[in-house]
Amino acid sequence: MKISVSHKEAMKFEAKTEKESFIIDCPTISPVEYFLAGIITCSATDIVLIPKNQGHSVTDLVVDGEVVRAEDHPRKFVTLHLTYKFNSDGDDVKAARWVMASVETYCSTINTIRDTTQISYTIIHNGKTIRENEKMISGGGTQIDLGEIDACCS
C-alpha cells in the first residue's frame, strides 16, 4: 500500500492512494478524526461483508466511536469505545459473532492499536442491546493485569 500526501494551500493537503485521491482540510477535520473514521469504517465494512458471506444481510448500520486521548503529547488513544447499531436477518448470537470477528480478527486498523488502547464495544441488534461495554478478548492496551504467574524454577 502506498499513499502520498502533498501540501496544497494553507492547511489543506491532498492524499493520493493507488486508487483515488481526497483532500484533507485541517483543522476542519483533523488527521486524528480521519484516523478514527478509518478505524470505524474498517470495522463497519466487516459488519456488512461477514454476514453477506454467510448468506445474511445487514441494514441500518451505524457505528459510533468515542475516544479518550492521553493529556500529554503525543496524545495517543487511551480508550476506544465502539457502539454498533444494526438490523439483520441473523439471530443475536450471530450478530455478536460478526462484531467479535471484526474487532478480534479481521479489522486491521483496530488490530493496529489494540496493544496500546483499551477497546470496548456495545452491540444494539434489531433494536435490542445484546452486549454492553464488552472488552476485547485480547489486546486491551498497556494496563493489562496478568495477576500472579507461576514460573518454572531456573
Side-chain angles (χ1 to χ4, degrees):
M1 174 186 322
K2 289 185 178 184
I3 295 179
S4 175
V5 176
S6 58
H7 179 244
K8 291 301 182 190
E9 62 179 315
M11 292 302 291
K12 288 187 180 181
F13 300 83
E14 181 179 22
K16 291 183 180 177
T17 71
E18 295 173 12
K19 299 174 189 170
E20 191 64 58
S21 68
F22 56 95
I23 298 296
I24 299 170
D25 186 4
C26 304
T28 303
I29 300 174
S30 74
V32 175
E33 290 170 311
Y34 277 102
F35 181 61
L36 180 57
I39 291 169
I40 293 170
T41 303
C42 178
S43 186
T45 60
D46 290 338
I47 306 308
V48 172
L49 291 175
I50 294 169
K52 181 180 177 185
N53 291 339
Q54 295 175 359
H56 294 283
S57 63
V58 166
T59 60
D60 306 312
L61 173 64
V62 176
V63 183
D64 296 317
E66 184 175 351
V67 165
V68 173
R69 295 176 67 193
E71 292 295 322
D72 297 326
H73 288 284
R75 305 228 30 234
K76 293 181 179 183
F77 290 180
V78 176
T79 64
L80 168 62
H81 183 78
L82 299 168
T83 300
Y84 296 83
K85 299 176 207 164
F86 61 96
N87 297 319
S88 80
D89 57 356
D91 61 29
D92 291 345
V93 172
K94 285 182 182 174
R97 286 182 180 159
W98 298 331
V99 171
M100 290 173 64
S102 176
V103 299
E104 293 289 341
T105 305
Y106 294 108
C107 181
S108 58
T109 56
I110 288 175
N111 283 285
T112 297
I113 65 167
R114 76 183 311 148
D115 293 334
T116 59
T117 307
Q118 294 179 11
I119 301 170
S120 61
Y121 58 90
T122 295
I123 306 169
I124 302 167
H125 179 242
N126 292 334
K128 180 175 89 176
T129 301
I130 61 169
R131 298 284 189 280
E132 191 164 11
N133 296 318
E134 294 284 324
K135 290 187 167 66
M136 287 182 63
I137 294 170
S138 57
T142 57
Q143 303 298 320
I144 301 170
D145 179 7
L146 297 176
E148 296 294 321
I149 299 175
D150 291 331
C152 297
C153 299
S154 46

